[in-house]
Amino acid sequence: MHGYHQGQTGAPASDTISHVSDPATVPNAAVAPEHTLVIEDGVIPRRLRRPLDLARLVVAILVAAGVVGLAYIATETAAGLDTDIETGARLLPSFIVLALNVVGGIGTLGLPIAAAVSLILRGRPRQLFDALVALLVAIVFLAFLTWALTSLDAPRLLAALAGSTSTQSVATAPILGGLVAFATVARLLSRRPWNVLTVIVIGSLIVVTTLSSGIALAGVGFSLAVGWGVGLTTRYVAGTPTTRPSGLEVAEALTRGGYPVTLLRARESTSRGRRYEATTRSGDQLMVTVLDRDLEGAGLANAIWTGMRLRDDTTTGAFNMRRWLDHSALVAFAAQAAGAPEPRLLLASEVGPDSALLAYESIPGTRFAELDDVTDTDLEQAWRAVRTLHENQISHRSLTAAHLLRAEDGTVWLIGGETGSIAAGDVAQRIDLAELLVTLAMLAGVERAIVTGRTVLGVATLARALPALQPVALSQVTRRAVRKRKDLLVALRDALAEIRPDAKAEQIQFERVRPRTLVMIVVGSIAGYLLLTQLAQIDLVTLVTTMSWGWALVGLVLTVLTYIAAAWSLSGFVPETLPLHRTVLAQLAGSFATLVSPPTIGSIAINVRFLQKSGLHPVLAGASVGVAQVMAFVFHIVLLFAFGIAAGTQSDHTFDPPQWVVIGVVALAVLALALLAVPAIRRLILERVRPTLREVIPRLVTVVQRPIKLLEGVGGILLLNAAFIGVLYASVVAFGGSLSIAVVAVVYLAGATLGQAAPTPGGLGAVEAALAAGLTAGGLDGGIAVSAVLLFRLLTFWLPTLPGYWSFNWLTRKGLL
């Protein structure tokens, strides 16, 4: 046992320590000075679910999926590896093979029996029951999978796991998986000498199974992963006996560290352990945090996500108890050396092999979250406390109202500093300033928070918080509070901008990876896989040689026409005069921006920026682009319905639309009505649409008063859609396909609508899939449909990126973007 502490030690260790599990049984807190009274109720459960087991279960699932996926994709490589292993196994001496068979055979029964006897002797019949349940579930599950694989028509998957496609093949090893599940629940690998015996038995069983059962190596690996996963699932669902030390042991550790206590009262459970209030013999108050090893991994998913998403996440991880102990102690001692108003760390000590404690001095007072009135003096002291930390390059990273404390003497203290870091950089300090500003603004109002911060820090230092006023930079507690006051961050940004209007705007990217980026990666990967699958079915040489170059040239000319039409569709809704050639170049630059952004978003940003640089006020520029987008959407839907009717009209003028069109229209109508029936969705739509209409309608009224401009804008929209339809039609004809122009128009308009919703750059993957499926449903051969779509996307998406890149750079150099 070791510990380190500060200050004077108390009296000798107490002679007697008594334990009370229910505070109601204690008539009063007065006890004899030679006794220690421990009060704890509910902070130590008898069984618990370990977060680390859940994290390991995720790993087991990924391993199982990875083994199956790798064996399925690389079937020949896996088969060759199995052959090499079998060849090498034949070279083993016969006595080694015999020994492995004996060890594996005896161990299959002997290991569970011996482990069961050990668990009973140790008084753990519940753990034995759970282990036997896991053994049974794993065997039944793997046996069912073997039956399912041999019964279903999945020869490639069966060959990947079993090594052959015979119905008599064995795809899994139920006994092996069951033994792994038993060992996992019984925790045989965590105790000696059971860990050595378990490894020997399971290793021997793996070799024997591979040599004698006719199962592929992938099947063995899959069985091991499934057995491990079943064991972890059983362990997590049923819970495991706690190894946490009791309050008595905590009191003894405090006494050995030089702080004998007369009262130890449990206060709360935390994500990392427990928190106690202690009274020493000298009458001092301590706040004791106990870290428990069986809670390792709590918050791991959130820590990984935060570390991936936030660029400057300097806080420690949540995986290791010892690492968190060292980090907390280091930050506390650094804050103490800096003279910051944080509770002193008096003792850090182990409490048995599975826990440790941190004992801080207790500051009696009231947290800001519980105060009825926060004075300007309180606010200024909070700013001074953070200023002291930052002057010594220490961050706090959790400046919520619950971590600001007004002591009984009126001083303000910072608590919860273990989430902070030393040698904090500029970004971490900006985040601290932003979070404290948000917290104080919620408590006392924006004006008082700004004024007190300016008084203590000065304008320049306080303004450093401006770029960090983003939800992603705030702690989880503050983010939840800000969601209820959506105007708060905007008000704070405006207030900071007003106190320093001449300051240069700073843009700091706090997010390393955005959720949208992850979605784009996943969707793009799926789309790429689907596209490669389609390409694998096409002979590119034949494709190029059989394509009609004349129709391909027609498609190229129509593609050029789309950019002129797009320029008209924008300039027609701008009352001011715009040079046509520059507007066309802006549309080309938008095609380049679309390569790295979802559909429409990149082109909208380019157009707004282009109009601003052309002399329009930012509000008018946004309104003009908004009018153009709204009108484009309206005419897009009108054309979709018009061509849908035309596609269903026969030569004898009877209306008989294709079945897939009817089903699609009805499904969209039903979905729209169902969504509109939900009040929350109606409110959301109104919240999104109302601000746009307020900007768009006045601008639209201005344009309507100039018929020539309106005709230019509407004509550009119609010409734009007609040109894209013509490109797709030319692409179909270029490969010998034959479809009516109305059907092609419906396919393009519907595919473009679906593509706008895709989060991938330019709708990559979604547009190809929608157009190919639509052309095929319209009666075109599947191979021709895929070829036509690839040519269409080559002409309208990929080729324009080269002149688009040049246009983007040229407009930027000229100051037009």
Side-chain angles (χ1 to χ4, degrees):
M1 196 69 61
H2 68 277
Y4 50 95
H5 64 275
Q6 265 183 279
Q8 298 296 323
T9 60
S14 60
D15 301 322
T16 306
I17 297 179
S18 59
H19 178 273
V20 179
S21 61
D22 186 357
T25 64
V26 184
N28 52 66
V31 293
E34 69 273 8
H35 289 72
T36 298
L37 180 63
V38 177
I39 304 175
E40 56 183 0
D41 184 22
V43 296
I44 305 180
R46 295 181 61 185
R47 301 181 68 85
L48 55 88
R49 295 185 175 92
R50 298 172 184 262
L52 203 53
D53 286 342
L54 190 59
R56 288 168 176 162
L57 175 59
V58 174
V59 174
I61 294 173
L62 293 177
V63 169
V67 169
V68 174
L70 187 62
Y72 184 83
I73 295 173
T75 307
E76 294 183 0
T77 303
L81 181 61
D82 291 334
T83 302
D84 292 340
I85 292 176
E86 291 178 3
T87 303
R90 294 193 190 99
L91 301 177
L92 291 174
S94 57
F95 72 89
I96 293 180
V97 177
L98 177 61
L100 291 174
N101 275 278
V102 171
V103 172
I106 295 176
T108 301
L109 293 176
L111 183 64
I113 293 174
V117 173
S118 174
L119 289 173
I120 292 175
L121 293 176
R122 291 163 55 200
R124 296 192 174 185
R126 169 68 184 273
Q127 189 175 3
L128 174 59
F129 174 78
D130 294 342
L132 292 176
V133 169
L135 172 66
L136 178 62
V137 170
I139 291 176
V140 172
F141 182 67
L142 288 171
F144 171 78
L145 287 180
T146 298
W147 172 82
L149 288 174
T150 54
S151 301
L152 297 176
D153 186 19
R156 185 172 180 178
L157 183 58
L158 183 61
L161 296 178
S164 70
T165 57
S166 171
T167 56
Q168 304 300 319
S169 301
V170 180
T172 63
I175 301 298
L176 178 60
L179 194 59
V180 171
F182 180 90
T184 301
V185 177
R187 295 185 176 275
L188 298 183
L189 291 176
S190 62
R191 298 181 63 247
R192 295 182 179 180
W194 296 100
N195 53 354
V196 178
L197 294 175
T198 303
V199 170
I200 293 175
V201 170
I202 292 180
S204 301
L205 199 56
I206 290 173
V207 176
V208 171
T209 302
T210 304
L211 295 180
S212 61
S213 300
I215 184 174
L217 191 61
V220 173
F222 177 72
S223 301
L224 290 171
V226 168
W228 188 34
V230 170
L232 291 170
T233 302
T234 305
R235 205 161 75 181
Y236 187 78
V237 172
T240 54
T242 182
T243 58
R244 301 181 185 181
S246 67
L248 298 176
E249 295 173 86
V250 173
E252 290 173 354
L254 289 170
T255 300
R256 285 192 297 271
Y259 292 92
V261 296
T262 58
L263 176 64
L264 184 68
R265 182 189 298 271
R267 178 176 175 180
E268 61 183 343
S269 295
T270 67
S271 61
R272 301 180 189 276
R274 298 157 278 161
R275 191 165 286 127
Y276 293 87
E277 293 176 343
T279 303
T280 66
R281 286 188 179 180
S282 59
D284 296 329
Q285 300 293 318
L286 303 180
M287 184 62 65
V288 182
T289 299
V290 178
L291 305 176
D292 294 313
R293 193 179 300 278
D294 54 19
L295 285 178
E296 285 184 341
L300 179 61
N302 183 63
I304 293 175
W305 172 243
T306 302
M308 289 176 56
R309 192 178 180 190
L310 199 59
R311 283 182 51 229
D312 195 70
D313 181 46
T314 54
T315 57
T316 185
F319 195 78
N320 186 273
M321 182 199 75
R322 170 57 64 177
R323 181 181 174 188
W324 181 257
L325 175 70
D326 294 342
H327 176 84
S328 301
L330 180 62
V331 172
F333 285 140
Q336 181 177 324
E342 290 193 5
R344 291 187 305 149
L345 176 63
L346 304 176
L347 175 68
S349 175
E350 288 183 344
V351 189
D354 296 317
S355 294
L357 67 81
L358 295 161
Y360 300 86
E361 64 175 343
S362 180
I363 309 297
T366 307
R367 303 187 186 203
F368 277 25
E370 302 168 357
L371 290 174
D372 296 328
D373 180 42
V374 180
T375 66
D376 287 349
T377 302
D378 295 332
L379 301 180
E380 291 179 0
Q381 288 191 73
W383 284 116
R384 290 193 187 96
V386 173
R387 183 183 66 185
T388 302
L389 287 179
H390 289 181
E391 287 174 347
N392 292 273
Q393 284 75 52
I394 304 172
S395 68
H396 190 282
R397 299 303 292 270
S398 187
L399 290 167
T400 64
H403 290 157
L404 299 172
L405 181 76
R406 182 206 283 170
E408 293 178 349
D409 60 359
T411 57
V412 173
W413 294 73
L414 303 179
I415 58 178
E418 63 271 6
T419 57
S421 60
I422 61 172
D426 177 68
V427 173
Q429 294 183 29
R430 287 175 184 261
I431 291 175
D432 267 359
L433 293 175
E435 179 146 36
L436 182 59
L437 184 59
V438 172
T439 298
L440 298 183
M442 288 189 291
L443 292 171
V446 173
E447 184 178 355
R448 291 177 60 196
I450 293 287
V451 169
T452 53
R454 180 178 181 177
T455 300
V456 174
L457 302 178
V459 174
T461 303
L462 183 62
R464 293 173 61 223
L466 182 57
L469 288 172
Q470 306 177 29
V472 68
L474 305 176
S475 67
Q476 188 174 8
V477 174
T478 307
R479 271 202 307 272
R480 284 199 298 264
V482 167
R483 290 193 191 107
K484 300 176 182 178
R485 300 182 57 180
K486 297 182 179 179
D487 59 334
L488 182 62
L489 292 181
V490 176
L492 287 172
R493 293 190 195 105
D494 293 342
L496 287 177
E498 289 177 3
I499 66 174
R500 200 179 182 191
D502 58 336
K504 184 179 180 181
E506 293 181 277
Q507 296 294 332
I508 299 179
Q509 183 62 42
F510 288 95
E511 288 182 294
R512 180 183 285 116
V513 178
R514 297 184 178 182
R516 179 183 290 273
T517 305
L518 294 179
V519 172
M520 289 172 59
I521 292 173
V522 173
V523 175
S525 301
I526 296 174
Y529 176 78
L530 295 175
L531 184 60
L532 290 175
T533 303
Q534 294 173 347
L535 288 174
Q537 303 173 1
I538 300 173
D539 186 352
L540 293 179
V541 177
T542 305
L543 179 70
V544 174
T545 55
T546 58
M547 180 180 65
S548 172
W549 289 93
W551 280 105
L553 183 60
V554 171
L556 181 61
V557 173
L558 291 174
T559 299
V560 175
L561 184 60
T562 61
Y563 289 94
I564 300 175
W568 284 338
S569 68
L570 174 64
S571 61
F573 298 104
V574 180
E576 293 78 7
T577 302
L578 297 176
L580 179 61
H581 68 286
R582 290 182 177 178
T583 310
V584 172
L585 291 178
Q587 307 314 302
L588 276 170
S591 68
F592 169 70
T594 304
L595 185 63
V596 292
S597 65
T600 306
I601 293 179
S603 59
I604 288 177
I606 292 292
N607 285 333
V608 170
R609 185 70 172 172
F610 171 71
L611 293 181
Q612 291 179 14
K613 291 293 186 177
S614 298
L616 270 72
H617 189 274
V619 175
L620 296 179
S624 298
V625 174
V627 170
Q629 292 297 317
V630 169
M631 295 297 290
F633 175 76
V634 170
F635 278 96
H636 191 96
I637 299 301
V638 170
L639 289 174
L640 179 60
F641 278 99
F643 279 111
I645 294 173
T649 303
Q650 307 300 315
S651 57
D652 58 355
H653 303 290
T654 59
F655 183 63
D656 185 19
Q659 186 177 8
W660 59 275
V661 174
V662 175
I663 294 174
V665 171
V666 173
L668 289 175
V670 170
L671 179 61
L673 291 175
L675 292 176
L676 290 174
V678 180
I681 295 180
R682 286 202 305 272
R683 287 194 300 269
L684 180 62
I685 293 175
L686 288 176
E687 290 175 359
R688 296 293 180 88
V689 172
R690 190 174 293 153
T692 303
L693 292 179
R694 287 174 180 171
E695 295 180 0
V696 166
I697 290 178
R699 197 64 168 168
L700 183 59
V701 171
T702 303
V703 173
V704 168
Q705 294 174 355
R706 304 178 64 177
I708 299 299
K709 277 287 184 179
L710 182 62
L711 180 62
E712 179 185 352
V714 173
I717 292 173
L718 295 176
L719 180 60
L720 178 65
N721 284 284
F724 273 121
I725 293 169
V727 176
L728 183 58
Y729 182 80
S731 301
V732 171
V733 178
F735 292 99
S738 177
L739 279 180
S740 70
I741 190 70
V743 172
V744 173
V746 171
V747 170
Y748 163 73
L749 293 169
T753 303
L754 294 175
Q756 298 299 320
T760 55
L764 189 63
V767 173
E768 287 83 357
L771 293 180
L775 292 175
T776 304
L780 197 64
D781 176 75
I784 295 178
V786 172
S787 302
V789 170
L790 292 177
L791 177 59
F792 173 79
R793 292 291 277 173
L794 177 66
L795 294 174
T796 60
F797 180 71
W798 293 108
L799 288 182
T801 58
L802 299 177
Y805 176 74
W806 177 85
S807 300
F808 183 87
N809 287 330
W810 187 84
L811 291 173
T812 302
R813 287 198 305 270
K814 295 296 183 180
L816 298 174
L817 275 184

